[in-house]
Amino acid sequence: MAVVAERERSERERRLTPLEGSPADIDEVPGWTGRVMVWLRVIAHLVAVQLLMIAGTALGLVVVGLGPALVSGSRLLRRIVDGDPSDAVWGDFWRAYRAERPRATLVTVPFMGVIAVAWYELLVLLAYGGDTMTAVLSGAVIALGAYAVACLGYAPHVLRRYADAPGRALRFVAVAPLLSPLTAIGCAVTVIALTVVGLRFLPVMILIGLSVPLLLTGLIVDRWLDKVDARGSLA
């Protein structure tokens, strides 16, 4: 009887343990107020990750800060999806940021450079051109920029999952959109659409303009990477 009573008490304590902000176990929360609190914790987590990514990006002057900030943010956001959100967001973010800075910078900077060049070239074409050739070149530049955006969408999630050297990771990220065009289109459309919405509503951009696209592209890319890993294990 004592064993049964102890087991029942442990089960009650497990049920009463407050969630840490994950929607994974939301069905176990009694009442609508509990569910609201769970989603409020998720939103707070997204905002915290967003502000940390902004700080990390600014710390690295964008060029060497964006990559490690995205990888660190991706780790924290994936923990929400997995039902194990961090209870030490600040420390976990900066530890991952320091550890991933060299590798993440080497992988993401080339794509950031392509995006910057494509944006500049598009502005020049739109300003000084107006013929058919200009339209063709503009289309090519837009396609190149979208490809680089898609690669940048893959990068933080690939770096989060795998511990490959920078050169190998860069090659994989560069080839990934060509191997999974639908996934690449999903990443590019998600990033571009949410960026446009964020620029129109600047407060939203500041609060969740990085974390939400990163979370959504993570869901898209991880699904494809799961299939890649499954095929690799069968080979």
Side-chain angles (χ1 to χ4, degrees):
M1 292 296 293
V3 174
V4 174
E6 180 66 23
R7 186 178 302 168
E8 291 177 351
R9 184 164 60 251
S10 298
E11 182 65 20
R12 285 197 302 271
E13 291 174 354
R14 186 188 68 80
R15 289 199 301 265
L16 294 174
T17 300
L19 296 178
E20 297 177 344
S22 170
D25 301 320
I26 195 169
D27 291 337
E28 299 179 10
V29 181
W32 66 270
T33 55
R35 294 182 175 87
V36 170
M37 290 303 297
V38 169
W39 286 110
L40 288 176
R41 292 189 190 104
V42 171
I43 294 172
H45 211 102
L46 289 173
V47 173
V49 173
Q50 166 81 11
L51 296 178
L52 285 169
M53 286 194 292
I54 291 175
T57 302
L59 182 64
L61 301 177
V62 180
V63 176
V64 297
L66 181 61
L70 291 176
V71 178
S72 304
S74 176
R75 291 183 182 277
L76 293 172
L77 295 174
R78 185 63 206 185
R79 290 185 61 176
I80 297 177
V81 176
D82 292 339
D84 180 33
S86 172
D87 55 0
V89 176
W90 175 274
D92 289 343
F93 179 89
W94 291 114
R95 278 191 293 273
Y97 183 91
R98 289 191 295 269
E100 292 288 351
R101 176 183 280 181
R103 191 169 69 117
T105 299
L106 291 173
V107 172
T108 57
V109 163
F111 303 116
M112 293 167 59
V114 172
I115 293 171
V117 171
W119 179 255
Y120 173 78
E121 291 294 336
L122 183 61
L123 292 178
V124 171
L125 289 171
L126 293 177
Y128 296 102
D131 54 6
T132 304
M133 182 58 66
T134 300
V136 172
L137 291 175
S138 297
V141 169
I142 291 173
L144 180 62
Y147 163 77
V149 169
C151 291
L152 202 58
Y154 279 80
H157 313 298
V158 170
L159 294 172
R160 164 175 53 81
R161 286 178 64 123
Y162 309 115
D164 294 329
R168 184 173 181 179
L170 177 60
R171 288 194 298 271
F172 181 82
V173 170
V175 172
L178 305 178
L179 300 176
S180 55
L182 293 179
T183 302
I185 292 172
C187 285
V189 170
T190 298
V191 172
I192 294 171
L194 291 177
T195 300
V196 171
V197 172
L199 292 175
R200 184 173 178 83
F201 302 99
L202 194 56
V204 176
M205 182 70 172
I206 294 173
L207 289 177
I208 55 174
L210 288 175
S211 58
V212 169
L214 187 62
L215 175 64
L216 295 179
T217 56
L219 296 174
I220 298 171
V221 173
D222 276 324
R223 186 174 182 179
W224 177 70
L225 292 176
D226 288 339
K227 296 178 181 178
V228 172
D229 291 340
R231 288 197 295 267
S233 63
L234 295 177

